[in-house]
PDB file of all heavy atoms in Angstrom:
ATOM      1  N   ARG E  30      26.275  23.798   8.792  1.00  0.00           N
ATOM      2  CA  ARG E  30      27.355  23.407   9.713  1.00  0.00           C
ATOM      3  C   ARG E  30      26.784  22.964  11.056  1.00  0.00           C
ATOM      4  O   ARG E  30      27.218  21.967  11.642  1.00  0.00           O
ATOM      5  CB  ARG E  30      28.315  24.578   9.932  1.00  0.00           C
ATOM      6  CG  ARG E  30      29.270  24.827   8.791  1.00  0.00           C
ATOM      7  CD  ARG E  30      30.379  25.776   9.232  1.00  0.00           C
ATOM      8  NE  ARG E  30      31.306  25.999   8.138  1.00  0.00           N
ATOM      9  CZ  ARG E  30      32.310  25.183   7.842  1.00  0.00           C
ATOM     10  NH1 ARG E  30      32.490  24.072   8.556  1.00  0.00           N
ATOM     11  NH2 ARG E  30      33.122  25.449   6.843  1.00  0.00           N
ATOM     12  N   VAL E 131      25.254  37.540  10.485  1.00  0.00           N
ATOM     13  CA  VAL E 131      26.281  37.181   9.504  1.00  0.00           C
ATOM     14  C   VAL E 131      26.381  38.294   8.466  1.00  0.00           C
ATOM     15  O   VAL E 131      25.371  38.696   7.879  1.00  0.00           O
ATOM     16  CB  VAL E 131      25.952  35.839   8.817  1.00  0.00           C
ATOM     17  CG1 VAL E 131      27.086  35.448   7.863  1.00  0.00           C
ATOM     18  CG2 VAL E 131      25.726  34.743   9.848  1.00  0.00           C
ATOM     19  N   LEU E 132      27.611  38.781   8.248  1.00  0.00           N
ATOM     20  CA  LEU E 132      27.857  39.832   7.266  1.00  0.00           C
ATOM     21  C   LEU E 132      28.682  39.289   6.098  1.00  0.00           C
ATOM     22  O   LEU E 132      29.531  38.423   6.285  1.00  0.00           O
ATOM     23  CB  LEU E 132      28.623  41.003   7.906  1.00  0.00           C
ATOM     24  CG  LEU E 132      28.025  41.649   9.152  1.00  0.00           C
ATOM     25  CD1 LEU E 132      28.936  42.780   9.643  1.00  0.00           C
ATOM     26  CD2 LEU E 132      26.621  42.165   8.882  1.00  0.00           C
ATOM     27  N   ALA E 134      31.550  40.003   3.750  1.00  0.00           N
ATOM     28  CA  ALA E 134      32.680  40.931   3.649  1.00  0.00           C
ATOM     29  C   ALA E 134      32.823  41.503   2.249  1.00  0.00           C
ATOM     30  O   ALA E 134      33.220  42.652   2.069  1.00  0.00           O
ATOM     31  CB  ALA E 134      33.970  40.219   4.055  1.00  0.00           C
ATOM     32  N   LEU E 158      29.425  37.884  12.733  1.00  0.00           N
ATOM     33  CA  LEU E 158      30.406  37.143  11.944  1.00  0.00           C
ATOM     34  C   LEU E 158      30.658  37.897  10.652  1.00  0.00           C
ATOM     35  O   LEU E 158      29.738  38.079   9.846  1.00  0.00           O
ATOM     36  CB  LEU E 158      29.897  35.735  11.618  1.00  0.00           C
ATOM     37  CG  LEU E 158      29.414  34.845  12.764  1.00  0.00           C
ATOM     38  CD1 LEU E 158      29.088  33.456  12.227  1.00  0.00           C
ATOM     39  CD2 LEU E 158      30.433  34.777  13.877  1.00  0.00           C
ATOM     40  N   ILE E 159      31.896  38.361  10.450  1.00  0.00           N
ATOM     41  CA  ILE E 159      32.272  38.924   9.159  1.00  0.00           C
ATOM     42  C   ILE E 159      32.710  37.750   8.302  1.00  0.00           C
ATOM     43  O   ILE E 159      33.830  37.253   8.415  1.00  0.00           O
ATOM     44  CB  ILE E 159      33.397  39.972   9.288  1.00  0.00           C
ATOM     45  CG1 ILE E 159      32.968  41.100  10.229  1.00  0.00           C
ATOM     46  CG2 ILE E 159      33.743  40.546   7.915  1.00  0.00           C
ATOM     47  CD1 ILE E 159      34.033  42.159  10.447  1.00  0.00           C
ATOM     48  N   ASN E 160      31.814  37.285   7.445  1.00  0.00           N
ATOM     49  CA  ASN E 160      32.030  36.075   6.666  1.00  0.00           C
ATOM     50  C   ASN E 160      32.644  36.395   5.292  1.00  0.00           C
ATOM     51  O   ASN E 160      32.642  37.538   4.857  1.00  0.00           O
ATOM     52  CB  ASN E 160      30.690  35.344   6.491  1.00  0.00           C
ATOM     53  CG  ASN E 160      30.844  33.946   5.969  1.00  0.00           C
ATOM     54  OD1 ASN E 160      31.804  33.255   6.297  1.00  0.00           O
ATOM     55  ND2 ASN E 160      29.915  33.506   5.143  1.00  0.00           N
ATOM     56  N   LYS E 161      33.193  35.371   4.653  1.00  0.00           N
ATOM     57  CA  LYS E 161      33.782  35.463   3.316  1.00  0.00           C
ATOM     58  C   LYS E 161      35.024  36.347   3.288  1.00  0.00           C
ATOM     59  O   LYS E 161      35.304  37.018   2.281  1.00  0.00           O
ATOM     60  CB  LYS E 161      32.752  35.965   2.302  1.00  0.00           C
ATOM     61  CG  LYS E 161      31.464  35.159   2.254  1.00  0.00           C
ATOM     62  CD  LYS E 161      30.523  35.666   1.179  1.00  0.00           C
ATOM     63  CE  LYS E 161      29.210  34.887   1.193  1.00  0.00           C
ATOM     64  NZ  LYS E 161      28.274  35.339   0.127  1.00  0.00           N
ATOM     65  N   VAL E 162      35.784  36.358   4.371  1.00  0.00           N
ATOM     66  CA  VAL E 162      36.996  37.189   4.390  1.00  0.00           C
ATOM     67  C   VAL E 162      38.047  36.672   3.414  1.00  0.00           C
ATOM     68  O   VAL E 162      38.987  37.401   3.059  1.00  0.00           O
ATOM     69  CB  VAL E 162      37.595  37.267   5.813  1.00  0.00           C
ATOM     70  CG1 VAL E 162      36.637  37.974   6.763  1.00  0.00           C
ATOM     71  CG2 VAL E 162      37.959  35.891   6.343  1.00  0.00           C
ATOM     72  N   ASP E 163      37.901  35.425   2.956  1.00  0.00           N
ATOM     73  CA  ASP E 163      38.838  34.877   1.966  1.00  0.00           C
ATOM     74  C   ASP E 163      38.636  35.466   0.585  1.00  0.00           C
ATOM     75  O   ASP E 163      39.496  35.319  -0.297  1.00  0.00           O
ATOM     76  CB  ASP E 163      38.683  33.350   1.889  1.00  0.00           C
ATOM     77  CG  ASP E 163      37.266  32.932   1.542  1.00  0.00           C
ATOM     78  OD1 ASP E 163      36.311  33.532   2.099  1.00  0.00           O
ATOM     79  OD2 ASP E 163      37.106  31.997   0.729  1.00  0.00           O
ATOM     80  N   ILE E 187      33.730  38.476  14.835  1.00  0.00           N
ATOM     81  CA  ILE E 187      34.602  37.364  14.474  1.00  0.00           C
ATOM     82  C   ILE E 187      34.732  37.322  12.963  1.00  0.00           C
ATOM     83  O   ILE E 187      33.732  37.326  12.238  1.00  0.00           O
ATOM     84  CB  ILE E 187      34.031  36.010  14.970  1.00  0.00           C
ATOM     85  CG1 ILE E 187      33.877  36.022  16.484  1.00  0.00           C
ATOM     86  CG2 ILE E 187      34.932  34.854  14.538  1.00  0.00           C
ATOM     87  CD1 ILE E 187      33.205  34.781  17.039  1.00  0.00           C
ATOM     88  N   LYS E 188      35.967  37.265  12.468  1.00  0.00           N
ATOM     89  CA  LYS E 188      36.221  37.110  11.029  1.00  0.00           C
ATOM     90  C   LYS E 188      36.239  35.627  10.690  1.00  0.00           C
ATOM     91  O   LYS E 188      36.851  34.838  11.403  1.00  0.00           O
ATOM     92  CB  LYS E 188      37.550  37.767  10.653  1.00  0.00           C
ATOM     93  CG  LYS E 188      37.591  39.267  10.870  1.00  0.00           C
ATOM     94  CD  LYS E 188      38.956  39.848  10.550  1.00  0.00           C
ATOM     95  CE  LYS E 188      39.987  39.435  11.581  1.00  0.00           C
ATOM     96  NZ  LYS E 188      41.305  40.098  11.374  1.00  0.00           N
ATOM     97  N   THR E 189      35.586  35.270   9.576  1.00  0.00           N
ATOM     98  CA  THR E 189      35.479  33.850   9.267  1.00  0.00           C
ATOM     99  C   THR E 189      35.336  33.601   7.769  1.00  0.00           C
ATOM    100  O   THR E 189      34.975  34.500   7.001  1.00  0.00           O
ATOM    101  CB  THR E 189      34.269  33.225  10.002  1.00  0.00           C
ATOM    102  OG1 THR E 189      34.222  31.830   9.757  1.00  0.00           O
ATOM    103  CG2 THR E 189      32.974  33.855   9.543  1.00  0.00           C
ATOM    104  N   THR E 190      35.634  32.369   7.389  1.00  0.00           N
ATOM    105  CA  THR E 190      35.420  31.871   6.029  1.00  0.00           C
ATOM    106  C   THR E 190      34.452  30.708   6.099  1.00  0.00           C
ATOM    107  O   THR E 190      34.609  29.815   6.928  1.00  0.00           O
ATOM    108  CB  THR E 190      36.750  31.403   5.411  1.00  0.00           C
ATOM    109  OG1 THR E 190      37.641  32.520   5.312  1.00  0.00           O
ATOM    110  CG2 THR E 190      36.530  30.799   4.028  1.00  0.00           C
ATOM    111  N   GLN E 191      33.450  30.710   5.245  1.00  0.00           N
ATOM    112  CA  GLN E 191      32.439  29.648   5.226  1.00  0.00           C
ATOM    113  C   GLN E 191      31.784  29.459   6.607  1.00  0.00           C
ATOM    114  O   GLN E 191      31.406  28.355   6.977  1.00  0.00           O
ATOM    115  CB  GLN E 191      33.056  28.331   4.744  1.00  0.00           C
ATOM    116  CG  GLN E 191      33.508  28.336   3.294  1.00  0.00           C
ATOM    117  CD  GLN E 191      32.330  28.371   2.322  1.00  0.00           C
ATOM    118  OE1 GLN E 191      31.357  27.666   2.480  1.00  0.00           O
ATOM    119  NE2 GLN E 191      32.443  29.218   1.307  1.00  0.00           N
ATOM    120  N   CYS E 192      31.700  30.535   7.373  1.00  0.00           N
ATOM    121  CA  CYS E 192      31.067  30.507   8.712  1.00  0.00           C
ATOM    122  C   CYS E 192      31.662  29.421   9.602  1.00  0.00           C
ATOM    123  O   CYS E 192      30.949  28.782  10.396  1.00  0.00           O
ATOM    124  CB  CYS E 192      29.559  30.304   8.581  1.00  0.00           C
ATOM    125  SG  CYS E 192      28.689  31.732   7.909  1.00  0.00           S
ATOM    126  N   ASP E 193      32.969  29.202   9.497  1.00  0.00           N
ATOM    127  CA  ASP E 193      33.631  28.145  10.257  1.00  0.00           C
ATOM    128  C   ASP E 193      34.012  28.673  11.634  1.00  0.00           C
ATOM    129  O   ASP E 193      35.121  29.172  11.845  1.00  0.00           O
ATOM    130  CB  ASP E 193      34.872  27.665   9.496  1.00  0.00           C
ATOM    131  CG  ASP E 193      35.468  26.408  10.104  1.00  0.00           C
ATOM    132  OD1 ASP E 193      34.853  25.875  11.046  1.00  0.00           O
ATOM    133  OD2 ASP E 193      36.527  25.966   9.647  1.00  0.00           O
ATOM    134  N   VAL E 194      33.077  28.556  12.582  1.00  0.00           N
ATOM    135  CA  VAL E 194      33.256  29.033  13.946  1.00  0.00           C
ATOM    136  C   VAL E 194      32.841  27.911  14.900  1.00  0.00           C
ATOM    137  O   VAL E 194      31.804  27.283  14.692  1.00  0.00           O
ATOM    138  CB  VAL E 194      32.409  30.292  14.226  1.00  0.00           C
ATOM    139  CG1 VAL E 194      32.616  30.774  15.651  1.00  0.00           C
ATOM    140  CG2 VAL E 194      32.757  31.392  13.234  1.00  0.00           C
ATOM    141  N   HIS E 219      40.226  27.579  13.648  1.00  0.00           N
ATOM    142  CA  HIS E 219      39.224  27.533  12.597  1.00  0.00           C
ATOM    143  C   HIS E 219      39.444  28.727  11.678  1.00  0.00           C
ATOM    144  O   HIS E 219      39.431  29.868  12.112  1.00  0.00           O
ATOM    145  CB  HIS E 219      37.801  27.612  13.180  1.00  0.00           C
ATOM    146  CG  HIS E 219      37.396  26.367  13.906  1.00  0.00           C
ATOM    147  ND1 HIS E 219      36.401  25.543  13.453  1.00  0.00           N
ATOM    148  CD2 HIS E 219      37.857  25.805  15.046  1.00  0.00           C
ATOM    149  CE1 HIS E 219      36.244  24.530  14.287  1.00  0.00           C
ATOM    150  NE2 HIS E 219      37.110  24.676  15.259  1.00  0.00           N
ATOM    151  N   SER E 220      39.613  28.440  10.396  1.00  0.00           N
ATOM    152  CA  SER E 220      39.768  29.500   9.402  1.00  0.00           C
ATOM    153  C   SER E 220      40.829  30.506   9.826  1.00  0.00           C
ATOM    154  O   SER E 220      40.674  31.711   9.680  1.00  0.00           O
ATOM    155  CB  SER E 220      38.432  30.222   9.179  1.00  0.00           C
ATOM    156  OG  SER E 220      37.449  29.314   8.763  1.00  0.00           O
ATOM    157  N   TRP E 222      41.560  31.483  12.511  1.00  0.00           N
ATOM    158  CA  TRP E 222      41.125  32.293  13.658  1.00  0.00           C
ATOM    159  C   TRP E 222      41.180  31.412  14.886  1.00  0.00           C
ATOM    160  O   TRP E 222      40.469  30.430  15.000  1.00  0.00           O
ATOM    161  CB  TRP E 222      39.707  32.812  13.427  1.00  0.00           C
ATOM    162  CG  TRP E 222      39.278  33.782  14.490  1.00  0.00           C
ATOM    163  CD1 TRP E 222      38.697  33.483  15.675  1.00  0.00           C
ATOM    164  CD2 TRP E 222      39.412  35.194  14.475  1.00  0.00           C
ATOM    165  NE1 TRP E 222      38.448  34.613  16.401  1.00  0.00           N
ATOM    166  CE2 TRP E 222      38.878  35.680  15.691  1.00  0.00           C
ATOM    167  CE3 TRP E 222      39.920  36.106  13.568  1.00  0.00           C
ATOM    168  CZ2 TRP E 222      38.852  37.036  16.003  1.00  0.00           C
ATOM    169  CZ3 TRP E 222      39.888  37.444  13.876  1.00  0.00           C
ATOM    170  CH2 TRP E 222      39.357  37.901  15.080  1.00  0.00           C
TER     171      TRP E 222
END
Side-chain angles (χ1 to χ4, degrees):
R30 283 193 179 276
V131 184
L132 305 179
L158 307 186
I159 302 178
N160 193 35
K161 306 183 183 181
V162 296
D163 57 317
I187 300 175
K188 297 177 290 186
T189 183
T190 297
Q191 294 290 316
C192 289
D193 190 5
V194 180
H219 289 247
S220 302
W222 187 273

